[in-house]
Amino acid sequence: MQRKQFLRHLAGLAGVATIGSLVSGCGGGSDDAVATATATPAAAPVAEAVPEATVGVLSAAEIAGLKFMREEEKLAHDVYVAMHTLWGSQVFANIAESETTHTEAILALLTKYGVADPAAGKAAGEFEDVELQALYDTLVAAGAANLIEGLKVGALIEETDIQDIEERKAVTDEADILTVYGSLLCGSRNHLRAFNGALLDQGVTYVAQVITQAEWDAIAYSARESCGG
């Protein structure tokens, strides 16, 4: 989703083992093949050379997608930490913990493919992408109004994440990247459900800002998925 469009929505509102383990934490999973060698009485077992996995060359769009998602997942985490500090609602703390797993899963992919990490050395609320920086500042300011506005910010982040991840999925055919993106999507759907439930508890029915209302309702009012997000 274009950042300017996101800000317009917000204005209206305010009024690979490493990768495998990380995917497990945010909703995916992997089966590790275990090789066994049987020794014979006549000779000691000889270790066979294991060929290195080939790492593909990513396109510019794939690289840009990974870097963007690394910072967007960090943005979600940092906003939720700020909202938890302000309002003390456990929903923010729980989802912030999940977002840590999400952004680390993307970092594992960046490392695997030799792509520079845009979040390296960045403190909470700091971003390389200038539009994401402005967005973070705007989101935190909007959510600081009251708990309900904070929960609406969370809902807006999650529906935007869903759209943004789908867009990044469309520009890659790398199986490991698609697996991580799929896990992040599953987690974002669960996060959306959590924010929807928290808003309903406050007597508020959220109106979709980014995805269609039909898409929102189909996710928000369906059962939580077992993806760990």
Side-chain angles (χ1 to χ4, degrees):
M1 178 183 185
Q2 295 298 315
R3 300 300 98 193
K4 291 180 181 177
Q5 184 182 355
F6 194 177
L7 289 169
R8 286 199 298 272
H9 287 309
L10 183 63
L13 177 72
V16 203
T18 303
I19 295 171
S21 63
L22 288 168
V23 167
S24 255
C26 62
S30 61
D31 296 323
D32 295 324
V34 178
T36 58
T38 304
T40 66
V46 178
E48 295 185 4
V50 178
E52 291 186 9
T54 301
V55 177
V57 177
L58 300 183
S59 68
E62 287 171 319
I63 291 171
L66 287 175
K67 293 179 74 171
F68 178 83
M69 292 313 306
R70 166 71 163 153
E71 287 210 292
E72 187 171 70
E73 296 297 328
K74 179 183 183 296
L75 178 147
H77 168 272
D78 293 355
V79 170
Y80 299 155
V81 169
M83 292 300 100
H84 180 255
T85 300
L86 284 170
W87 308 118
S89 174
Q90 193 60 34
V91 68
F92 293 118
N94 292 344
I95 297 178
E97 183 176 353
S98 179
E99 297 293 358
T100 297
T101 305
H102 288 190
T103 193
E104 288 177 353
I106 297 294
L107 174 59
L109 289 170
L110 292 173
T111 301
K112 173 181 176 178
Y113 288 100
V115 178
D117 176 19
K122 299 291 192 301
E126 293 183 355
F127 304 90
E128 180 176 280
D129 186 304
V130 294
E131 290 187 343
L132 286 176
Q133 183 65 65
L135 181 60
Y136 170 84
D137 296 338
T138 304
L139 289 168
V140 171
N146 53 57
L147 173 60
I148 288 175
E149 293 306 317
L151 293 170
K152 286 181 179 180
V153 161
L156 179 59
I157 288 173
E158 296 305 330
E159 61 170 331
T160 302
D161 272 357
I162 288 170
Q163 178 168 288
D164 286 347
I165 296 167
E166 291 285 9
E167 289 176 357
R168 272 66 190 182
K169 280 181 66 180
V171 299
T172 185
D173 58 3
E174 295 290 342
D176 53 354
I177 297 177
L178 289 170
T179 296
V180 171
Y181 283 170
S183 184
L184 266 57
L185 274 172
C186 184
S188 288
R189 290 192 296 266
N190 278 342
H191 299 167
L192 185 154
R193 294 178 180 107
F195 282 121
N196 185 65
L199 284 164
L200 290 174
D201 288 344
Q202 297 291 322
V204 176
T205 300
Y206 183 80
V207 177
Q209 304 293 309
V210 179
I211 61 177
T212 68
Q213 191 64 46
E215 289 171 323
W216 171 276
D217 291 343
I219 297 169
Y221 299 101
S222 60
R224 176 181 173 83
E225 297 167 70
S226 59
C227 56

